[in-house]
Amino acid sequence: MALENKLGIKSSAELAREEERISKKKAVELFENGMLEKLEAGKFQTLCEIHKYLFDDIYDFAGKIRTVNLSKGNFRFAPLMYLETAIKNVDKMPQNTFDEIVEKYVEMNIVHPFREGNGRSMRIWLDMMLKKQIGQVVDWSKIEKEDYLMAMERSPIKDIEIKYILNAALTDQINDREIYMKGIDHSYYYEGYVTYKTEEL
């Protein structure tokens, strides 16, 4: 069954294709229209704005905190009853150094605030913090899918691996359009969305 959506699509395969096409196009717009420059790096409110912008044409819950418990494999994300507190705690975390930024990113991933689209929104959010604080962004095209997913899976217990992987892929080409677009394609590929390329939308 497909998630309830504004497009009235009942097939989950069809929904996945449309979600990729529409939200990828929106991700391109985020770069083109300079909206990311106007938002405050590292704030939960900013993550909500990104999520809303990407998914508002598809889901009613775009930019809104989830109302269901979520898990992936054996891992349970923050339970609903602690969600608001967990979000406030992550919001207060420092973000001055590379290590602090990645720790904040890992914690927000454990919170997993949205019903769908957490990873894709959060990677844009992470890059915003890195860009503002240390003048670098991740070149996501340099990170293998399996390496990233395994490191993220282990990150709640030990974040040394995800720090190592992200650090090795840093670039100071923070305003490079091609790096951003390739990054979006790669970010979607991590989640299994591979039908459309940003440059074709």
Side-chain angles (χ1 to χ4, degrees):
M1 261 314 272
L3 268 180
E4 198 170 308
N5 59 83
K6 292 181 176 179
L7 310 169
I9 295 172
K10 297 282 185 267
S11 145
S12 52
E14 190 188 338
L15 178 61
R17 276 195 304 276
E18 278 305 285
E19 183 186 309
E20 180 185 358
R21 186 181 66 79
I22 294 167
S23 64
K24 240 183 203 179
K25 201 169 178 186
K26 290 287 200 166
V28 171
E29 281 174 24
L30 271 179
F31 182 85
E32 306 280 9
N33 66 17
M35 179 178 157
L36 294 174
E37 307 300 321
K38 300 182 189 90
L39 299 169
E40 192 179 349
K43 288 291 169 203
F44 176 65
Q45 187 49 46
T46 295
L47 182 57
C48 288
E49 297 280 343
I50 293 167
H51 190 270
K52 187 170 172 55
Y53 196 85
L54 293 180
F55 300 107
D56 203 25
D57 292 346
I58 309 154
Y59 299 119
D60 284 326
F61 59 72
K64 296 179 186 147
I65 296 171
R66 63 181 159 89
T67 54
V68 293
N69 281 316
L70 287 183
S71 60
K72 199 174 208 171
N74 296 324
F75 187 78
R76 289 186 52 163
F77 296 109
L80 281 182
M81 60 191 289
Y82 302 123
L83 207 49
E84 298 270 0
T85 309
I87 288 167
K88 285 192 185 115
N89 288 341
V90 177
D91 235 2
K92 285 187 228 151
M93 286 175 75
Q95 53 185 61
N96 302 308
T97 63
F98 172 78
D99 280 4
E100 285 178 354
I101 290 167
V102 177
E103 283 153 23
K104 189 166 186 168
Y105 170 64
V106 164
E107 285 303 314
M108 188 60 88
N109 186 57
I110 295 166
V111 171
H112 236 62
F114 311 115
R115 178 75 182 82
E116 168 73 24
N118 288 280
R120 287 167 283 166
S121 308
M122 264 185 258
R123 285 186 282 276
I124 294 172
W125 185 73
L126 168 65
D127 270 332
M128 280 179 73
M129 282 190 281
L130 292 168
K131 183 176 180 176
K132 180 171 189 284
Q133 299 303 139
I134 65 167
Q136 293 185 295
V137 291
V138 178
D139 181 350
W140 294 99
S141 69
K142 290 204 165 100
I143 301 176
E144 291 297 329
K145 177 178 179 173
E146 289 311 313
D147 293 347
Y148 170 78
L149 294 177
M150 299 276 285
M152 283 307 287
E153 207 174 291
R154 290 193 272 261
S155 67
I157 295 114
K158 212 171 186 172
D159 61 16
I160 187 161
E161 202 177 335
I162 192 67
K163 282 178 179 170
Y164 176 79
I165 285 171
L166 293 174
N167 192 37
L170 287 177
T171 172
D172 53 12
Q173 293 177 276
I174 54 174
N175 297 311
D176 189 288
R177 190 176 185 279
E178 191 187 344
I179 283 181
Y180 177 87
M181 298 305 166
K182 277 196 310 191
I184 294 296
D185 283 332
H186 231 70
S187 175
Y188 273 67
Y189 158 65
Y190 295 152
E191 314 287 344
Y193 295 92
V194 292
T195 309
Y196 300 97
K197 286 265 184 281
T198 50
E199 295 297 2
E200 297 161 2
L201 295 167

